[in-house]
Amino acid sequence: MEEKKIEPLVNLGQDEIVMGFVALCIENCAEKEGVPPRTMYQRLNKVGLIKNYLIDCYDTLHTESTQSVTNLVLNTLKGKESKI
């Protein structure tokens, strides 16, 4: 029996994959904190966590569970906000 190749439905670039991960993180953190995603985005962006944590550490973070990443991001966010 000949093996069939499964073609991906959509070929995403690395930037699109990373941005999808960032969006997922923002949504999960917003849900856990009970705030709108826009508010969570603004909080994360204000302390530089989107670029300097979610994007720059994507290679490590994306290997963790969603719950773990959500907790890490929120703990880091709260620590940074407490210093402002």
Side-chain angles (χ1 to χ4, degrees), residues 30-66:
E31 183 177 325
K32 186 162 184 173
E33 288 287 291
V35 299
R38 181 181 197 86
T39 300
M40 183 56 60
Y41 169 83
Q42 291 168 339
R43 287 175 64 193
L44 291 168
N45 195 48
K46 182 177 181 178
V47 297
L49 287 181
I50 292 175
K51 167 70 174 95
N52 298 320
Y53 192 58
L54 294 176
I55 294 173
D56 289 351
C57 298
Y58 167 78
D59 288 339
T60 302
L61 290 173
H62 89 280
T63 64
E64 301 291 329
S65 70
T66 302

